[in-house]
Amino acid sequence: MKAVICRSPGDLVVEDRPAPSTPPPGWALVAVSHVGICGTDYHIFEGKHPFLAYPRIMGHEVSGTVIEAGEGVELAVGDPVIINPYLACGKCIACRQGKPNCCVRIEVLGVHRDGAMCERILVPAQNLYPANGLSLADAAAVEFLAIGAHAVRRSLAGPGARTLVIGAGPIGLGTALFARIAGLDVTLLDMSAERLGFAASELGFATLEGSRQSATDLVRDATGSEGFDVIFDATGNTQSVQSAFAHVAHGGTLVLVSVVKDDIVFSDPEFHKREMTLIGSRNALRVDFDHVAASIRDGAVPLAKLVTHRTTLGDTPRDLARWAHAKSGLIKAVIQVG
């Protein structure tokens, strides 16, 4: 089969690889249809991922069709599926508590093991969800949107809560969309006028531009010095995360959607006087995938606006390398494989 291989940072090629063999019990062989390109993929290409061994087949935002099912698998040949790329052990404390998204020994397709920028892939059947009613192109967008949907569900915020999403990249936009679907009153904060212009004109969000004024002043003016009831940080920027604590209203919540490598430092007196809730949000669960799929089917997610770039498996080495640096106008790129 054809596969896109990142042999080392900056070295991306299409190679012939042995196709997967007959699936073992509990697994299925999937013909890959579409793969979304994630920020993680760009980081792998650029050599910025801290926990990755090269060479690697990237790709974890995936849709496809079952072409062979192992023993005990209820899926049928020809079934269109969404792939949950978080492979959990099923035995650790997180898995026993129904939280395989933060499994102690989690393996993410395209990161800890080879992913789906290829023609076929073996996947545990428990990680395959029916794509009923979705095109396979749309089904490939479910995973990245589920990150934000999971974060919103984790926040426990109620309708009308004054909400700030910091970071207007794909994950931030997905978080903002599902916060709005949940009835929250959403504002987006970013340094990029281009991204905020898209969020305002195409998606209808209120915005705050951090390049024009300090975030502290922007939040003060937007909330009458009260702060936001709930804040989602989707920047992956240490300074942004640390600054976000001061933007939370008394009694409010800060949700860390992105992850940074550094230690986070904050003022304990400020944290305590607000009786603030701090929440980490990692990956997503089946309930989040189902919610996203239903929202797409209902027309609540403007995927035609979010997917701005498309390519093929053969053109991926050229296009991914270009998009890693030329991000103007880029929200989400998708590879058509099958």
Side-chain angles (χ1 to χ4, degrees):
M1 67 175 183
K2 298 293 184 183
V4 174
I5 315 293
C6 192
R7 297 189 294 200
S8 61
D11 184 9
L12 198 61
V13 297
V14 177
E15 290 184 357
D16 287 318
R17 281 288 182 96
S21 58
T22 299
W27 289 59
L29 181 60
V30 176
V32 177
S33 177
H34 291 75
V35 183
I37 301 176
C38 176
T40 297
D41 300 318
Y42 294 118
H43 290 156
I44 292 170
F45 172 74
E46 294 171 322
K48 297 178 181 179
H49 198 288
F51 309 114
L52 187 118
Y54 297 90
R56 177 63 70 225
I57 299 175
M58 301 181 294
H60 61 270
E61 303 175 4
V62 196
S63 67
T65 303
V66 175
I67 54 177
E68 189 175 354
E71 182 182 348
V73 174
E74 295 182 0
L75 293 164
V77 172
D79 281 353
V81 291
I82 302 160
I83 294 180
N84 177 338
Y86 324 127
L87 275 57
C89 73
K91 300 177 181 178
C92 72
I93 184 171
C95 290
R96 296 197 308 270
Q97 294 178 348
K99 298 181 178 181
N101 60 305
C102 57
C103 168
V104 172
R105 290 176 286 278
I106 197 167
E107 290 187 303
V108 180
L109 295 177
V111 180
H112 304 98
R113 61 162 65 195
D114 282 341
M117 289 188 189
C118 57
E119 293 178 313
R120 297 184 176 190
I121 187 170
L122 280 173
V123 184
Q126 66 185 11
N127 288 73
L128 299 175
Y129 307 151
N132 297 334
L134 295 183
S135 70
L136 286 171
D138 287 353
V142 171
E143 190 275 339
F144 96 86
L145 291 168
I147 301 296
H150 182 72
V152 171
R153 189 168 59 82
R154 290 272 291 149
S155 75
L156 300 179
R162 191 158 51 185
T163 301
L164 181 67
V165 177
I166 308 175
I171 298 300
L173 291 174
T175 302
L177 285 167
F178 279 88
R180 185 164 65 188
I181 288 170
L184 311 189
D185 179 13
V186 184
T187 299
L188 273 160
L189 169 64
D190 200 280
M191 298 293 288
S192 169
E194 179 184 353
R195 286 191 179 274
L196 291 177
F198 174 87
S201 64
E202 299 299 322
L203 303 179
F205 286 110
T207 62
L208 301 174
E209 187 178 337
S211 63
R212 293 188 174 183
Q213 195 175 355
S214 74
T216 299
D217 291 341
L218 289 168
V219 170
R220 181 197 63 218
D221 294 345
T223 65
S225 300
E226 289 184 333
F228 284 89
D229 300 317
V230 58
I231 293 180
F232 300 91
D233 192 284
T235 64
N237 180 280
T238 302
Q239 184 176 350
S240 174
V241 173
Q242 293 185 162
S243 298
F245 283 82
H247 306 329
V248 180
H250 281 239
T253 299
L254 173 58
V255 184
L256 303 185
V257 188
S258 61
V259 62
V260 300
K261 294 189 291 183
D262 305 306
D263 292 342
I264 299 300
V265 179
F266 59 91
S267 166
D268 186 63
E270 290 295 326
F271 179 80
H272 268 84
K273 80 178 186 181
R274 287 169 167 78
E275 197 178 50
M276 188 190 304
T277 300
L278 177 62
I279 296 175
S281 183
R282 187 182 185 192
N283 300 327
L285 292 168
R286 172 69 184 265
V287 64
D288 306 306
F289 279 76
D290 289 345
H291 177 40
V292 171
S295 298
I296 295 173
R297 283 194 295 268
D298 292 344
V301 180
L303 274 184
K305 295 180 179 180
L306 295 176
V307 179
T308 56
H309 292 56
R310 297 182 185 275
T311 188
T312 63
L313 196 65
D315 289 338
T316 294
R318 178 198 67 197
D319 290 338
L320 192 150
R322 178 161 53 90
W323 296 334
H325 305 289
K327 288 189 165 61
S328 180
L330 173 65
I331 302 297
K332 172 59 63 174
V334 174
I335 304 165
Q336 182 172 338
V337 179

